Amino acid sequence: MELIQQLVNGISLGSIYALIALGYTMVYGIVRLINFAHGDVFMIGSFVGFYAVTALHVGFFPALLLAMAACAVLGVCIERIAYKPLRNATRIAVLITAIGVSLLIEYGTIYLRGAQPEAYPSTLLPDKKLEIFGVIINSQSLLILGTSIVLMILLQLIVYKTKIGKAMRAVSHDAEAARLMGINVDNTISATFAVGSALAGAAGVIFGIYYIKIEPLMGIIPGLKAFVAAVLGGIGIIPGAMVGGLVLGVIESLVSGLGYSLWRDGAAFIILILILIFRPAGLFGKNVREKV
C-alpha cells in the first residue's frame, strides 16, 4: 500500500514536471532552442496565481487562467525581444541570451518585490483524505493530477486539430518549406512560446498549491528537472515530455519513500547522465518523427 501511495504522489509531482517539460520540448521542436528562461516563466506564473488568490480573492481555476494568460504574454515578449533578433545567430549566442533572460527575470522579480518567500493559502483547494482500495489519497493530489491531464489533452487537441497546430508541425518539420507554403513562421514561433509558457504558468500555480511556499528563485530546480524530463522522453517529442515528466516524478517519490529524500534532486541528474550516455535520443528515440 505504501508503494501505491508513493506512485500516486509521484504521478502528481510528475504531472507538474510534464507541464513544464512540454514548453521546453515544443520550443526545441520548432526553433532548436533550449529556453533556459522557461523555469522562471513557471516562477512568474506561481506568483501571478498567488496574487490573484490573495489580492483579487479569486478561486483556484480563475487564478490558474490568469497565470496562464500572463505567462503566455510574457513568453511572447521574451521570444520577440530576446530570441527573434538571434534567429540566425550561433547556438552559443542564443544559449547565453537564454541564461541572461533567466537571470533578468529572477533578479528583476527580487528587485520589484524582494526575496522573501510567500505561502499559498492552504484552504484554496479542499484537503480531504480519500480511501481508495485501502490507499489513502489526498484530494488535492487528485485535483492537481486531473487538472494537469486536462491541460495535456487540450495541448494535444491544439497541436493536432487546429490550424495553428498544423502550422507548428509544419514549421517543426521544415521552416523554409512552411514559409513557401504561406505559413507565417514568426507568428507560429510566437504562438509556440505562448502555449508553452501558458502551460508553465499553470504548473506554477499547481506547484504553489502542492508545496505551499514560493519564492523568486524557485524556478531553477524544477526548470532543470523539467529539462531532464524532456531529454528523458526525447526532446522535441511532445508525448516524450509527458512520459518523461511522469517517470521522473515517480522515480523521485520512490527515492524519497525508500528513505533517501536527500538524494531526490540528485536522482534527476543521475538519470540525465545515464540517458545521455546510453540513449541520447531519449526513451521515444530518434526514429519518432512526430515532433510538434
Side-chain angles (χ1 to χ4, degrees):
M1 292 303 174
E2 179 68 26
L3 176 64
I4 297 172
Q5 188 94 52
Q6 292 298 335
L7 285 174
V8 171
N9 293 339
I11 291 169
S12 296
L13 175 61
S15 66
I16 298 173
Y17 292 152
L19 286 176
I20 310 172
L22 284 167
Y24 277 116
T25 215
M26 287 178 71
V27 168
Y28 185 85
I30 283 190
V31 287
R32 298 296 181 268
L33 159 70
I34 302 296
N35 178 20
F36 279 116
H38 196 61
D40 301 296
V41 174
F42 155 81
M43 176 270 292
I44 293 293
S46 198
F47 273 101
V48 169
F50 170 78
Y51 288 121
V53 169
T54 55
L56 301 179
H57 306 291
V58 301
F60 168 67
F61 289 108
L64 189 77
L65 293 174
L66 277 171
M68 290 177 73
C71 286
V73 172
L74 176 61
V76 172
C77 290
I78 290 170
E79 191 274 324
R80 287 288 164 117
I81 295 167
Y83 298 142
K84 188 180 176 184
L86 300 173
R87 199 66 50 80
N88 298 315
T90 59
R91 287 200 180 186
I92 191 70
V94 181
L95 181 65
I96 291 167
T97 302
I99 294 168
V101 171
S102 172
L103 292 170
L104 177 66
I105 294 172
E106 288 168 11
Y107 290 97
T109 304
I110 289 173
Y111 176 77
L112 291 173
R113 63 161 300 282
Q116 72 275 12
E118 300 284 3
Y120 265 71
S122 57
T123 55
L124 187 58
L125 286 179
D127 189 9
K128 297 176 182 175
K129 304 292 182 187
L130 305 174
E131 187 170 338
I132 302 171
F133 301 118
V135 180
I136 297 173
I137 299 171
N138 191 312
S139 61
Q140 280 191 359
S141 294
L142 288 178
L143 193 55
I144 285 168
L145 179 59
T147 304
S148 301
I149 289 170
V150 167
L151 288 171
M152 290 181 206
I153 292 169
L154 281 174
L155 174 65
Q156 290 288 70
L157 291 175
I158 289 170
V159 170
Y160 292 103
K161 301 293 183 185
T162 67
K163 192 175 178 182
I164 190 66
K166 286 181 181 177
M168 286 178 185
R169 285 184 285 136
V171 173
S172 170
H173 191 73
D174 189 329
E176 284 306 313
R179 187 177 275 112
L180 291 171
M181 295 296 290
I183 292 171
N184 189 322
V185 172
D186 288 335
N187 285 355
T188 303
I189 292 170
S190 293
T192 304
F193 270 84
V195 172
S197 299
L199 291 174
V205 176
I206 293 168
F207 185 93
I209 291 166
Y210 197 78
Y211 283 104
I212 308 297
K213 192 186 90 164
I214 60 171
E215 44 94 17
L217 300 180
M218 65 178 270
I220 298 171
I221 294 297
L224 286 172
K225 287 182 181 176
F227 172 64
V228 172
V231 173
L232 174 62
I235 192 138
I237 302 165
I238 286 178
M242 296 179 186
V243 172
L246 294 172
V247 169
L248 188 61
V250 168
I251 290 171
E252 277 197 19
S253 285
L254 291 176
V255 168
S256 295
L258 291 170
Y260 300 103
S261 55
L262 293 176
W263 280 91
R264 61 179 293 169
D265 288 344
F269 300 105
I270 290 169
I271 290 166
L272 176 62
I273 293 166
L274 293 174
I275 282 288
L276 290 175
I277 291 171
F278 296 108
R279 196 171 174 83
L283 294 177
F284 279 59
K286 193 177 281 185
N287 293 329
V288 179
R289 299 303 300 162
E290 189 180 51
K291 288 179 180 175
V292 171

